[in-house]
Amino acid sequence: MAKVKLGMNACFAVGRYPEPDVWLRIVGEKFGLRYTQFFSDLIDPKVEEKVKKRLCLETREAARKYNVTMHSVFSGTAPHWCHFLLHPDEGMRKDALRWWEEYIRMTPLLGAKAVGSLLGSFSFQDWENPQRKEQLTRELIETWHHFSRLAKEEGLDYLMFEPMSVPREMPCTIAETEELYQRMNEGAALPIKLCMDIGHGAAVSGTPEDRDPYAWIRRFASRTPVIHVQQTDEQSSKHWPFTEEYNKRGIITAPRVMEAIEDSGAEEVLLVIEVFHSFFEPMEYKVLDDLATSVEYWRKYVKE
């Protein structure tokens, strides 16, 4: 039987609770969770070294204080909007590479043993050019092999990349994820694993399996230390909370997720609640209540 644990992604704290002692107290005391995944928007890896080190150590101390394990570190929304390691401009890709190097170096300061991210997004022009797409993909894989060597030097256990929702943000199909997973790990200095999100996958794919979150879990959970859980529909990645209102509209149920994990042969998986609220009223004031309800929902099925 798979060992399944429950945690919270720190995305809820961005723009609202940036103080480490505040957001980790919320995770540890209000939500009663013992695991969290850091969200890089809280501390940009390229901030001044003294400031970054101080904030990382404050975060690590707050996690210890509230008995919360910093399981891993994951990229935030900022890299998502700038093409990242697949930007068409070489200078921008080099800037993303430097961001990632600092990102790896700050991970052990936070007390985490793994770090991950989306891979990036092609421009339409690059994505529609097969030769250019393959060139950038090969460069990306070589860059991640460089990251694996640096991560090993920093004492980390593994890296993670996240399948996404549209073709420009590879991978977004099961077949593409399988291929890229193999290419990533050939020649890597340490394991490169997946961080799945049950709301991702190609909604417009012609293959029904690619639109089925449970098919993704059955196929990949054994290679996925972290699964982001959100309530969603079959149209897009909604990142809704698990409240009565959204559970009626959504397609995700905890029993089916747990069954798919068991079917995958996974030994251990951390389910990380990743819910996004807009910065508008009244959503601004529903964040903590919605997350507490989401934790309550999942606690019926995940005890650790």
Side-chain angles (χ1 to χ4, degrees), residues 252-272:
I252 303 301
T253 70
R256 291 192 66 189
V257 169
M258 300 296 284
E259 180 182 11
I261 291 173
E262 201 60 41
D263 290 344
S264 76
E267 295 182 0
E268 183 172 326
V269 176
L270 177 67
L271 299 181
V272 170

Side-chain angles (χ1 to χ4, degrees), residues 215-228:
W216 281 83
I217 296 172
R218 286 191 294 271
R219 177 69 72 93
F220 293 117
S222 63
R223 291 170 273 178
T224 302
V226 177
I227 298 177
H228 291 162

Side-chain angles (χ1 to χ4, degrees), residues 128-171:
E128 292 170 350
N129 182 327
Q131 291 77 26
R132 175 70 170 164
K133 181 181 176 183
E134 177 57 24
Q135 173 195 337
L136 289 175
T137 300
R138 287 197 303 269
E139 179 184 305
L140 175 77
I141 293 169
E142 290 172 1
T143 298
W144 269 66
H145 287 170
H146 163 65
F147 294 155
S148 74
R149 293 188 291 272
L150 179 58
K152 186 174 183 179
E153 291 173 6
E154 293 292 327
L156 303 186
D157 292 339
Y158 55 87
L159 303 177
M160 296 179 286
F161 69 91
E162 184 174 25
M164 299 302 286
S165 303
V166 297
R168 287 186 307 104
E169 297 179 345
M170 69 171 190

